[in-house]
Amino acid sequence: GAVVSQHPSWVICKSGTSVKIECRSLDFQATTMFWYRQFPKQSLMLMATSNEGSKATYEQGVEKDKFLINHASLTLSTLTVTSAHPEDSSFYICSASGHVGGATYNEQFFGPGTRLTVL
Amino acid sequence: GQQVMQIPQYQHVQEGEDFTTYCNSSTTLSNIQWYKQRPGGHPVFLIQLVKSGEVKKQKRLTFQFGEAKKNSSLHITATQTTDVGTYFCAGSYNDYKLSFGAGTTVTVRA
């Protein structure tokens, strides 16, 4: 159990376009979803936290108008990178936590990630 | 802001040897989690430590949480090729958010 999927797994887009990334919890209800960004050979940087039905909480330095997050249901959160530029190229990973039988409290289940390349 | 520091960044280990990765926070953590990320993969939860001085073992992996709840370590004995990957500690400060360490990338020489 506790599987998180992400779609797409990779995307290449032109500068100025917007890209939407979906994160789904497949077999549990995710009360909280997190969006991270990871540069090559670096750690995960938390971008924002979202709870179902409420506005996302963004970390300091993350532009909320640039990275739109929607958590419409207990199984789906989306991250939209608006007007993408080459510097937005990165690996975006979502994670989810919720009521999962046998899981440790606060344990986060990570999606496989989305590699975004902006030309 | 609150940060978790992790060392070393890279660890090259001879197969069969032991190694340790360390995490440190300047402020007290409520709990610390450890994750493993295989090359090309995503982080996978290993364990969570909550209590002061807690020690947990998973086969060849030993996790410790310091008495002051400001540091933690992961010790792997008799390293195998399957241990290759990046190990992250992630600390929590009285909320559900995780602050990830820089990670220790482990390579194994057969």
Side-chain angles (χ1 to χ4, degrees), chain B residues 39-104:
Chain B
H42 60 276
V44 174
F45 176 82
L46 294 177
I47 210 158
Q48 177 175 264
L49 304 171
V50 180
K51 299 177 183 176
S52 168
E54 190 169 14
V55 178
K56 288 187 177 180
K57 291 189 176 184
Q58 289 181 350
K59 297 182 180 178
R60 296 178 293 103
L61 278 62
T62 301
F63 304 84
Q64 291 188 334
F65 202 11
E67 294 289 341
K69 299 183 68 174
K70 289 183 178 181
N71 55 72
S72 181
S73 65
L74 161 58
H75 181 79
I76 299 182
T77 58
T79 305
Q80 300 177 358
T81 55
T82 53
D83 296 325
V84 164
T86 300
Y87 294 84
F88 292 99
C89 61
S92 183
Y93 299 93
N94 295 320
D95 60 20
Y96 46 82
K97 296 191 297 185
L98 293 176
S99 177
F100 277 79
T104 295

Side-chain angles (χ1 to χ4, degrees), chain A residues 43-85:
Chain A
S43 187
L44 286 79
M45 281 180 44
L46 180 64
M47 298 174 66
T49 304
S50 73
N51 295 290
E52 185 262 340
S54 62
K55 289 184 178 180
T57 302
Y58 290 82
E59 294 300 297
Q60 192 173 8
V62 178
E63 298 175 59
K64 61 180 181 180
D65 295 329
K66 172 78 172 174
F67 299 99
L68 300 177
I69 292 172
N70 184 290
H71 194 161
S73 73
L74 283 172
T75 59
L76 174 64
S77 177
T78 60
L79 167 67
T80 301
V81 183
T82 62
S83 187
H85 287 93

Side-chain angles (χ1 to χ4, degrees), chain A residues 27-46:
Chain A
D27 50 4
F28 69 102
Q29 292 186 328
T31 50
T32 307
M33 285 187 167
F34 305 85
W35 286 96
Y36 294 86
R37 186 172 178 177
Q38 186 177 34
F39 290 104
K41 299 184 179 181
Q42 293 191 23
S43 187
L44 286 79
M45 281 180 44
L46 180 64

